[in-house]
């Protein structure tokens, strides 16, 4: 072998490190054959390599394992992180006691494996294809019986198949330790391992001894704060039995290469090797958000990432330092308002979907039921909360918390364990009265809405109003409105697996299919396109809002599906909708002017309702960050039976900026469409290249507004009213959103007989290109695409 490598120094002088393999590559390290700097150890599968390396600019040499076939040198294990070799004289060999030892020229031992002494002469080391460096007695013919293995001593990386946690029989604690920095593999600040916490295990990242992140206790199904689910990249597993407690994961299949790293700032990251781009892609990281950071909100508080103020005191608690609580730092947390005195009125409040408080002062009893647990907590005035231990089979066992409740996070996902917190009599009362307050607010909002409707009914002296179309707005208590969730199988059956022949249209946000439920009811299923992805809660909230906008003449939302794909299920309208009445081919039954006017006013009212968001948000506290775009676009699609398009305001299409004034724009487009009986997106004029908005604008400037009206209406209308509507429509589609009126003003304008309205300015997006390849364009149009941007750019 030494013929291949005249001297280690020679080798290094010609190739530095990259070609060092030329020197020597062996698959077994035996006592007669040590590994010198420049040599490498590789196993048959050639997945990993063991050798010496220097990180970054450093000249220090470390014994390490890295991927053999990945060009970017990715270190997965380091032996002598704290004791580097200062020159190129490092040697790894099997010592007399049957241990792996790393020595330098002066025979100083820089690192050694910590296995038992053995006198056997046939100890060998191998680097397996899993990345595990194993030391074994070759004379023993027992596979898997290693004297020592690197998998038991992880550095900052966890590979597939590695066990992260405890071997209770040997008292072995396998945990990850971060590097000092990406260029310095010496011991860093953070460790990540399994905390046994009594006998309820959880994974914890610590900085020194201080907790930085915890997954929450294992409840038999998941960690209370982190869910482990097998996926197409890796298959996680947690094992808890009397001998071992560990976390491990496997790659989905042979060809997916994954590794997870505890980085120098304490983040646990999972990486996937991307074969196509030849780089590591980060799949996830923990802590994931601010609420994952331990004690971020201090004791007795709840951290909710979707709230603008992420920290809030739990019921029955108040800020310890109100001054500090008003700042961003809330670590002093909350204190009890009324200490428990075990009096009759006290009780418990159930918190669903939360990460269990840290197990600091607690007692547990695995044989108690939840009911017994409650009684136990009730009896002891210092018991702050209880929960079941094991969530499998509906929950069993009893956990009681005493003292402060720390690190409670509101989870967005499904959780299978509830926390019950002890609440004093007066707080229980106030909880009830708070509920009453919400009801009071809801009722007053409903009252205001009714007033508005009444006001318009009287003000407009609409005698035929009952025949017209008005929105019956219903403000209901969140819980009383149950929107059915359809399962995927039902939908697939109903629509013949989304058979093409069932497709009835391509509307905003995705295609629509006709289907039939087993009970014979015909439905229309709208598959929401991928880009309308939202968090599940947000989606459900918005769907609920849409469901609340019921209208007897328009399609009704029957439910939704949230499995795999997001879908909205509407009732099917065989005779077409409003849409076909106005634009359809069978226009003999086209709507008379009075009905059209009522539709316009009805939609305006619906929008006014939506725009009272400040009040809506009181009812739907979860909707703080609601993007009205989705809601209102769905609203338009809904009103128009999925055929929405071309309603997007310029500031939204170009900047992604969304304002309630963008709804006004959409409303203006709709209004002009209803008056003209033509769709903005399909509008074509032989004389010019303008779209419907441009057409209306030109006729307005030429004072020929009356020729804009749908010819179908013949003379069945009051010209001044129609002109007023066109006027309002043009005001709504003005280019600058500041110029557009608000919904309230729009309603006033529509209702007043003789208000002097301001002159409209130039509308947004009124130039449409004239092109032959209209088809290409058409296919791209839906509520979501930025079609208008394209048009605008090419129209210049
Ligand atoms: C490594 O060397 C390069 C070039 O000399 C320099 O830009 C870089 O800052 C150095 N990195 C470190 C960590 O010292
Ligand atoms: C192992 O061998 C070393 C060196 O020979 C010796 O110092 C040590 O005491 C031995 N340990 C045991 C447990 O025999
Ligand atoms: C080891 O055991 C296997 C079967 O388990 C046998 O085929 C093989 O010959 C054995 N090797 C030695 C060296 O004893
Ligand atoms: C973990 O395993 C131990 C030993 O089998 C058992 O007593 C304990 O209940 C288990 N804990 C959980 C949370 O499953
Ligand atoms: C491994 O899984 C990926 C999907 O994650 C798949 O594309 C690939 O074909 C699978 N390879 C093998 C060998 O099964
Ligand atoms: C560690 O990971 C987090 C999250 O991915 C990242 O923000 C941070 O910059 C990383 N720290 C270092 C030192 O690379
Ligand atoms: C217990 O505390 C409540 C206030 O939280 C008080 O109204 C009640 O009188 C107290 N009962 C006893 C027995 O001290
Ligand atoms: C656990 O609860 C059961 C039923 O209440 C009781 O019999 C048992 O003594 C309790 N065990 C402990 C250790 O308190
Ligand atoms: C309440 O529980 C704590 C902790 O287990 C215990 O120290 C205390 O004695 C209990 N108090 C009563 C009144 O049972």
């Amino acid at each position: 072998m030494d013929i291949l490598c005249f001297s280690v120094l020679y080798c290094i002088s010609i190739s530095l490190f990259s070609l060092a393999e030329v020197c020597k590559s062996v698959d077994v390290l035996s006592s007669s054959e040590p590994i010198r700097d420049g040599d490498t150890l590789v196993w048959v599968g050639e997945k990993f390599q063991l050798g010496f390396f220097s990180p970054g600019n450093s000249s220090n040499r470390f014994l390490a394992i890295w991927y053999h076939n990945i060009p970017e040198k990715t270190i997965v294990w380091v032996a002598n992180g704290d004791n580097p070799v200062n020159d190129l004289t490092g040697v790894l060999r099997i010592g007399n006691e049957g241990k792996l030892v790393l020595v330098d020229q002066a025979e100083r031992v820089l690192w050694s494996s910590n296995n038992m002494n053995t006198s056997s002469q046939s100890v060998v080391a191998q680097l397996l294809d899993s990345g595990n460096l194993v030391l074994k007695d070759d004379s023993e013919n027992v596979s898997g019986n290693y004297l020592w293995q690197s998998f038991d001593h992880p550095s900052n990386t966890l590979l597939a198949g590695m066990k992260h946690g405890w071997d209770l029989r040997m008292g072995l604690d396998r945990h990850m330790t971060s590097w000092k920095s990406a260029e310095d593999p010496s011991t860093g600040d953070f460790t990540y391992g399994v905390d046994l916490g009594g006998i309820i295990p959880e994974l914890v990242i610590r900085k020194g001894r201080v907790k930085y992140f915890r997954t929450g206790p294992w409840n038999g199904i998941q960690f209370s704060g982190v869910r482990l689910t097998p996926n197409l990249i890796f298959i996680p597993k947690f094992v808890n039995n009397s001998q071992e407690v560990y976390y491990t994961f496997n790659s989905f299949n042979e060809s997916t290469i994954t590794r997870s790293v505890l980085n120098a700032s304490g983040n646990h990251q999972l990486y996937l090797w991307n074969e196509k781009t030849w780089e590591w892609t980060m799949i996830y990281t923990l802590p994931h958000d601010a609420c994952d950071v331990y004690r971020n909100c201090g004791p007795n508080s709840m951290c909710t990432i979707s709230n603008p103020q992420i920290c809030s005191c739990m019921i029955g608690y108040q800020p310890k330092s109100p001054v500090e609580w008003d700042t961003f730092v809330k670590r002093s947390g909350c204190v009890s308002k009324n200490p428990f005195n075990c009096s009759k009125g006290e009780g418990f409040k159930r918190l669903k979907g939360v990460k269990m408080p840290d197990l600091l002062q607690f007692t547990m009893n695995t044989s108690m039921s939840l009911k017994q647990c409650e009684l136990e907590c009730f009896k002891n005035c210092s018991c702050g909360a209880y929960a079941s231990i094991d969530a499998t089979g509906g929950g069993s066992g009893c956990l009681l918390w005493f003292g402060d409740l720390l690190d409670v996070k509101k989870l967005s996902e499904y959780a299978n364990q509830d926390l019950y917190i002890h609440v004093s009599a007066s707080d229980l009362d106030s909880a009830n009265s708070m509920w009453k307050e919400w009801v009071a607010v809801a009722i007053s909002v409903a009252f205001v809405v009714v007033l508005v409707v009444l006001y318009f009914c009287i003000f407009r002296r609409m005698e035929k109003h009952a025949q017209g179309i008005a929105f019956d707005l219903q403000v209901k208590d969140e819980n009383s409105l149950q929107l059915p969730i359809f399962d995927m199988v039902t939908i697939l059956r109903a629509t013949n697996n989304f058979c093409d022949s069932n497709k009835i249209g391509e509307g905003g946000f995705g295609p629509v299919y006709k289907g039939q439920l087993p009970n014979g009811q015909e439905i229309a299923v709208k598959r929401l396109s991928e880009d309308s992805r939202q968090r599940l809660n947000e989606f459900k909230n918005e769907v609920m809002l849409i469901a609340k906008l019921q209208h007897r003449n328009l399609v009704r939302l029957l439910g939704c599906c949230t499995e795999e794909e997001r879908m909205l299920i509407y009732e099917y309208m065989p005779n077409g909708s409003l849409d076909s009445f106005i634009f359809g081919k069978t226009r003999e039954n086209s709507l008379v002017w009075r009905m059209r006017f009522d539709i316009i006013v009805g939609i305006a009212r619906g929008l006014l309702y939506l725009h009272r968001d400040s009040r809506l948000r009181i009812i739907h506290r979860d909707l703080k960050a609601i993007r009205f775009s989705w809601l209102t676009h769905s609203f338009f699609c809904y009103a128009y039976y999925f055929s929405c398009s071309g309603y997007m305001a310029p500031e939204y299409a170009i900047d992604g900026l969304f304002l309630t004034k963008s709804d006004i724009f959409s409303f203006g487009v709709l209004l002009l469409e209803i008056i003209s009986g033509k769709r903005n997106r399909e509008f074509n004029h032989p004389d010019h290249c303008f779209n419907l908005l441009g057409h209306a604008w030109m006729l307005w400037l030429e004072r020929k507004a009356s020729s804009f009206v749908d010819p179908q209406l013949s003379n069945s209308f009051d010209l001044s009213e129609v002109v007023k509507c066109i006027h309002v429509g043009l005001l709504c589609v003005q280019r600058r959103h500041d110029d557009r009126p608000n919904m309230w003003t729009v309603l006033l304008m529509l209702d007043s007989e003789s208000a002097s309205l301001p002159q409209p300015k130039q509308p947004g997006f009124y130039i449409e290109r004239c092109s032959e390849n209209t088809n290409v364009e058409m296919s791209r149009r839906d509520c979501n695409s930025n079609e208008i941007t394209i048009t605008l750019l090419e129209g210049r």
Side-chain angles (χ1 to χ4, degrees):
M1 280 297 175
D2 280 346
I3 302 164
L4 265 175
C5 179
F6 300 114
S7 79
V8 171
L9 280 175
Y10 168 77
C11 198
I12 283 160
S13 65
I14 55 164
S15 64
L16 275 175
F17 318 122
S18 59
L19 292 176
E21 300 90 289
V22 170
C23 294
K24 189 174 81 176
S25 190
V26 295
D27 60 3
V28 174
L29 171 70
S30 62
S31 44
S32 62
E33 258 184 310
I35 288 184
R36 297 170 201 285
D37 200 329
D39 301 339
T40 57
L41 183 65
V42 180
W43 184 239
V44 240
E46 302 204 323
K47 293 250 165 76
F48 290 91
Q49 234 176 26
L50 173 87
F52 289 84
F53 94 109
S54 294
N57 295 349
S58 150
S59 62
N60 288 337
R61 305 293 285 162
F62 297 92
L63 178 71
I65 299 173
W66 58 87
Y67 290 92
H68 187 251
N69 294 323
I70 286 178
E72 178 188 336
K73 198 175 232 177
T74 310
I75 308 296
V76 299
W77 183 76
V78 173
N80 57 326
D82 289 322
N83 271 330
V85 190
N86 297 322
D87 50 26
L88 303 172
T89 61
V91 178
L92 176 72
R93 64 163 176 252
I94 290 171
N96 291 335
E97 303 86 38
K99 293 181 180 182
L100 274 172
V101 284
L102 173 66
V103 295
D104 63 5
Q105 196 173 27
E107 286 293 318
R108 265 194 316 145
V109 176
L110 297 172
W111 172 84
S112 79
S113 60
N114 57 352
N115 50 309
M116 308 277 257
N117 289 357
T118 164
S119 54
S120 167
Q121 291 305 300
S122 50
V123 174
V124 294
Q126 286 174 340
L127 178 61
L128 306 185
D129 283 341
S130 56
N132 195 6
L133 175 66
V134 300
L135 193 65
K136 61 180 187 183
D137 192 339
D138 223 14
S139 62
E140 275 183 37
N141 194 4
V142 187
S143 72
N145 191 7
Y146 304 130
L147 297 168
W148 179 91
Q149 54 180 328
S150 66
F151 269 21
D152 282 344
H153 307 275
S155 51
N156 70 343
T157 303
L158 211 61
L159 295 173
M162 230 159 144
K163 292 175 178 178
H164 185 206
W166 290 82
D167 186 327
L168 299 171
R169 293 160 300 185
M170 299 196 288
L172 175 69
D173 173 19
R174 312 176 196 92
H175 59 263
M176 296 155 84
T177 307
S178 70
W179 288 13
K180 193 141 261 161
S181 75
E183 306 223 313
D184 179 2
S186 60
T187 304
D189 295 334
F190 294 90
T191 55
Y192 185 27
V194 172
D195 244 33
L196 293 177
I199 62 163
I200 307 178
E202 66 179 320
L203 293 170
V204 177
I205 299 178
R206 289 170 188 270
K207 180 173 188 175
R209 300 181 56 115
V210 182
K211 283 184 193 172
Y212 174 56
F213 163 78
R214 56 182 203 105
T215 55
W218 177 252
N219 64 22
I221 298 174
Q222 64 171 76
F223 295 106
S224 83
V226 176
R227 200 163 174 222
L228 300 172
T229 38
N231 50 63
L232 284 182
I233 295 166
F234 68 105
I235 298 159
K237 192 165 99 177
F238 188 75
V239 173
N240 170 48
N241 57 40
S242 56
Q243 291 162 5
E244 290 185 296
V245 185
Y246 65 85
Y247 165 79
T248 189
F249 69 92
N250 281 306
S251 289
F252 179 70
N253 66 25
E254 286 271 296
S255 55
T256 42
I257 299 176
T258 51
R259 70 190 164 101
S260 83
V261 177
L262 180 66
N263 82 4
S265 38
N267 279 79
H268 175 231
Q269 305 164 307
L270 185 89
Y271 286 97
L272 169 71
W273 178 251
N274 190 329
E275 289 281 325
K276 295 201 183 82
T277 60
W278 277 43
E279 56 189 11
W280 291 102
T281 313
M282 194 170 81
I283 306 294
Y284 76 72
T285 179
L286 287 172
H288 183 71
D289 54 45
C291 285
D292 277 335
V293 173
Y294 188 66
R295 293 191 70 136
N296 197 26
C297 291
N300 306 313
S301 61
M302 170 85 81
C303 195
T304 313
I305 203 71
S306 56
N307 280 357
Q309 293 278 329
I310 62 173
C311 300
S312 55
C313 285
M314 289 207 213
I315 180 169
Y317 296 84
Q318 62 198 9
K320 182 170 183 193
S321 151
V323 178
E324 192 208 86
W325 194 256
D326 287 337
T327 67
F328 286 111
V329 187
K330 300 186 191 291
R331 294 197 157 233
S332 64
C334 307
V335 290
S336 180
K337 270 192 259 181
N338 304 301
F340 312 125
N341 55 16
C342 294
S343 65
K344 266 226 153 62
E346 284 175 12
F348 293 91
K349 178 144 173 44
R350 171 166 160 188
L351 303 181
K352 293 179 90 159
V354 297
K355 176 158 139 187
M356 293 293 133
D358 199 6
L359 299 170
L360 298 174
Q361 296 174 52
F362 71 102
T363 60
M364 53 186 280
N365 181 330
T366 47
S367 54
M368 274 187 191
S369 71
L370 203 60
K371 199 72 211 158
Q372 289 170 311
C373 196
E374 173 174 343
L375 220 70
E376 198 66 23
C377 190
F378 189 72
K379 279 194 285 194
N380 192 323
C381 295
S382 48
C383 173
Y386 72 90
S388 57
I389 300 176
D390 194 339
T392 49
S396 63
C398 176
L399 253 178
L400 300 174
W401 278 267
F402 301 94
D404 285 337
L405 303 173
L406 264 176
D407 199 34
V408 181
K409 178 189 177 183
K410 177 93 183 122
L411 305 170
S412 57
E413 298 125 31
Y414 154 90
N416 37 33
Q417 218 177 354
D418 295 334
L419 179 71
Y420 299 82
I421 64 167
H422 203 154
V423 178
S424 72
S426 51
D427 292 324
L428 210 56
D429 279 352
S430 74
N432 288 339
S433 70
M434 211 150 83
W435 177 77
K436 281 176 199 149
E437 249 169 58
W438 292 125
V439 171
V441 169
I443 290 172
S444 58
V445 170
F447 184 66
V448 167
V449 171
V450 168
L451 269 190
V452 169
V453 172
L454 276 181
Y455 170 76
F456 281 108
C457 292
I458 296 164
F459 186 77
R460 292 183 51 229
R461 300 181 303 276
M462 291 279 299
E463 62 287 353
K464 285 189 177 176
H465 199 260
Q467 240 172 272
I469 295 178
F471 278 86
D472 306 335
L473 298 173
Q474 301 166 1
V475 181
K476 288 190 188 175
D477 180 16
E478 183 92 337
N479 296 325
S480 72
L481 195 123
Q482 289 291 331
L483 190 66
I485 309 276
F486 287 77
D487 68 284
M488 194 73 184
V489 178
T490 311
I491 302 293
L492 284 174
R493 287 217 183 104
T495 58
N496 246 333
N497 290 335
F498 293 115
C499 175
D500 269 350
S501 62
N502 282 41
K503 192 160 163 178
I504 51 176
E506 180 89 39
F509 291 103
V512 183
Y513 294 81
K514 184 185 166 182
Q516 191 167 33
L517 294 178
N519 66 7
Q521 185 180 15
E522 290 191 307
I523 55 170
V525 180
K526 185 185 185 78
R527 300 173 85 172
L528 297 177
S529 51
E530 293 278 301
D531 26 331
S532 54
R533 255 195 213 137
Q534 282 169 303
R535 285 228 305 275
L536 189 58
N537 273 347
E538 219 172 289
F539 173 75
K540 280 189 181 159
N541 278 328
E542 295 188 10
V543 168
M544 286 293 248
L545 257 190
I546 297 170
K548 283 176 196 179
L549 291 170
Q550 295 290 2
H551 188 289
R552 71 192 115 92
N553 288 1
L554 297 181
V555 290
R556 210 155 57 82
L557 187 64
L558 298 177
C560 63
C561 171
T562 54
E563 263 173 68
E564 293 171 49
E565 269 183 64
R566 307 270 161 89
M567 286 180 276
L568 296 174
I569 290 96
Y570 295 87
E571 75 183 344
Y572 178 71
M573 290 181 70
N575 296 334
S577 60
L578 190 60
D579 191 31
S580 62
F581 282 121
I582 299 175
F583 309 120
K585 293 186 190 80
T586 55
R587 298 190 53 197
E588 50 272 20
N589 40 10
S590 64
L591 297 173
V592 295
W593 170 248
R594 184 92 336 245
M595 272 179 96
R596 294 194 193 200
F597 186 75
D598 285 343
I599 293 169
I600 292 171
V601 173
I603 290 173
R605 285 207 190 117
L607 278 178
L608 178 65
Y609 171 67
L610 285 180
H611 286 184
R612 296 176 167 272
D613 54 335
S614 54
R615 266 168 240 204
L616 267 179
R617 279 177 204 177
I618 296 175
I619 307 173
H620 306 280
R621 291 177 76 205
D622 298 343
L623 288 177
K624 293 235 166 57
I626 186 167
R627 283 168 33 247
F628 264 98
S629 60
W630 196 91
L631 181 58
T632 34
H633 278 277
S634 308
F635 175 72
F636 281 114
C637 298
Y638 167 62
Y640 262 49
Y641 207 53
F642 322 114
S643 61
C644 80
S645 73
Y647 299 121
M648 214 184 289
E651 68 274 8
Y652 183 55
I654 293 173
D655 305 328
L657 176 69
F658 196 81
L659 308 156
T660 47
K661 288 293 183 70
S662 314
D663 284 350
I664 307 282
F665 183 93
S666 313
F667 172 76
V669 177
L670 192 66
L671 194 158
L672 292 174
E673 287 185 340
I674 294 176
I675 298 171
S676 64
K678 297 185 181 71
R679 285 186 216 265
N680 187 31
R681 59 166 186 174
E682 284 164 6
F683 184 77
N684 257 319
H685 199 277
D687 300 343
H688 60 70
C689 285
F690 296 146
N691 64 7
L692 188 68
L693 303 191
H695 183 58
W697 173 241
M698 273 186 51
L699 291 175
W700 181 262
L701 292 181
E702 292 167 12
R703 302 193 174 279
K704 290 195 288 194
S706 58
S707 23
F708 185 70
V709 181
D710 189 349
Q712 291 284 330
L713 285 174
S714 49
N715 285 323
S716 71
F717 57 86
D718 171 2
L719 184 62
S720 68
E721 197 169 45
V722 170
V723 169
K724 182 180 70 187
C725 283
I726 297 174
H727 194 158
V728 172
L730 283 171
L731 286 172
C732 290
V733 298
Q734 292 177 103
R735 196 172 53 81
R736 285 170 40 89
H737 57 79
D738 288 343
D739 292 337
R740 297 174 209 149
N742 63 26
M743 218 58 234
W744 179 258
T745 320
V746 167
L747 269 169
L748 276 179
M749 288 171 176
L750 287 176
D751 270 316
S752 61
E753 306 268 300
S754 60
S756 58
L757 307 180
Q759 276 307 306
K761 295 182 192 149
Q762 180 186 332
F765 290 145
Y766 69 92
I767 299 170
E768 182 90 22
R769 72 178 171 160
C770 300
S771 77
E772 310 80 68
N773 51 352
T774 326
N775 288 343
V776 179
E777 256 248 2
M778 297 303 288
S779 64
R780 303 202 42 160
R781 289 166 189 264
D782 64 19
C783 278
N784 254 353
S785 80
N786 46 2
E787 153 227 336
I788 301 173
T789 320
I790 299 163
T791 312
L792 187 78
L793 293 178
E794 293 178 3
R796 297 227 168 119

